[in-house]
Amino acid sequence: MKKKLAILISGSGSNLQSFIDAISENSLQAEIALVLSNNADAYGLERAKLAGIKNLVISHTDYESRESFDEALAEEIKKHSIDFIILAGFMRILSPDFINQFKDKILNIHPSLLPKYPGLHTHRRAIENADEYHGTSIHLVNEELDGGPLIAQAHLKLNVQNDEAEVMKAVQKLEHQLYPAVVNLLVQDKIRIKADGIYYDNKKIDKPLLLGKEII
Ligand code: GRF
């Protein structure tokens, strides 16, 4: 049976679209059982509707605390026997309770080469620091913001003329290849999350897998 994904979004949902496309092209052997958004205006909800995927808004503004909002999310996720929770531009910090309930099942994509630039404005910070390389990272979610174990990365070379919008576009293009490909490796058990670390092809990895090298 295909593994089930819940994809959590807050905005445009271009990463969600890359999952929808990968599934329809058969390059991702999984099912999106549920799209959840904390924001009723997220364009990603339209993408889910167009693809006929169950979608739901759970607005954090309707809840008194982070914990009660997270409980509502967890309840919905549990109804669908989800295998992996895919954060794709989900702009809420999850509480420790939520994270522990779904330990090693929550993935996030972050637009920088972590551990560089956790948080916001990653492209601006990479440009201002005149970094030679920038990119995107997929990691497991733990209690540290953008700090969980790294699974995979994709790099691009920056050049001095690049502006923020250009870099964002280039990074997102990489994200759309990397994220579904990594999740496909996970659902096929080529990547395994074990108590002592992350394994790829039965070997424990000591650095993130790279797009173009190990992946695709
Ligand atoms: C992506 O760039 C991702 O790295 C970050 O938020 C952005 C989401 O974009 N976490 P989209 O909503 O998938 O278009």
Side-chain angles (χ1 to χ4, degrees):
M1 219 179 62
K2 285 196 174 157
K3 296 262 168 78
K4 290 187 177 181
L5 313 176
I7 304 195
L8 273 54
I9 60 167
S10 299
S12 141
S14 68
N15 279 284
L16 163 65
Q17 189 66 51
S18 73
F19 278 75
I20 296 171
D21 295 344
I23 289 172
S24 79
E25 287 157 9
N26 269 327
S27 55
L28 171 56
Q29 306 296 322
E31 177 196 336
I32 306 171
L34 179 65
V35 168
L36 280 172
S37 173
N38 66 310
N39 167 17
D41 298 326
Y43 181 64
L45 290 165
E46 299 306 317
R47 299 181 192 268
K49 281 177 204 155
L50 274 173
I53 298 167
K54 174 161 186 190
N55 58 90
L56 219 66
V57 177
I58 301 183
S59 173
H60 58 284
T61 55
D62 292 341
Y63 294 84
E64 269 179 13
S65 65
R66 187 178 301 284
E67 288 70 22
S68 54
F69 167 69
D70 285 2
E71 260 170 48
L73 282 183
E75 217 170 277
E76 201 52 51
I77 288 169
K78 280 192 234 151
K79 280 188 206 160
H80 291 82
S81 340
I82 294 297
D83 296 288
F84 291 102
I85 299 171
I86 307 297
L87 307 186
F90 185 64
M91 301 302 283
R92 302 290 306 164
I93 294 174
L94 294 164
S95 56
D97 256 13
F98 183 95
I99 292 169
N100 290 327
Q101 264 188 79
F102 301 104
K103 196 172 159 16
D104 295 343
K105 290 184 185 305
I106 314 172
L107 266 69
N108 184 39
I109 190 155
H110 182 76
S112 78
L113 296 175
L114 290 169
K116 271 194 155 180
Y117 315 132
L120 299 175
H121 310 302
T122 57
H123 309 309
R124 192 186 311 162
R125 288 148 79 195
I127 293 167
E128 281 170 2
N129 288 336
D131 287 353
E132 191 181 0
Y133 289 98
H134 182 49
T136 183
S137 306
I138 293 171
H139 64 93
L140 282 175
V141 173
N142 65 12
E143 291 178 26
E144 210 183 309
L145 180 69
D146 301 324
L150 288 169
I151 303 175
Q153 289 183 325
H155 290 60
L156 59 82
K157 207 166 179 352
L158 286 183
N159 76 53
V160 277
Q161 297 99 322
N162 286 149
D163 68 26
E164 209 177 324
E166 259 174 358
V167 173
M168 186 177 104
K169 208 168 152 209
V171 168
Q172 284 212 328
K173 201 169 162 204
L174 290 177
E175 293 187 337
H176 301 156
Q177 296 172 55
L178 185 70
Y179 212 0
V182 165
V183 172
N184 192 47
L185 293 173
L186 258 175
V187 295
Q188 297 194 321
D189 286 335
K190 276 201 123 200
I191 296 177
R192 286 176 200 263
I193 316 292
K194 298 192 185 177
D196 67 334
I198 295 164
Y199 285 72
Y200 176 62
D201 259 348
N202 295 319
K203 276 195 288 278
K204 191 170 162 178
I205 61 170
D206 54 9
K207 48 184 178 324
L209 302 171
L210 291 180
L211 182 72
K213 193 162 172 239
E214 289 94 352
I215 299 167
I216 315 187

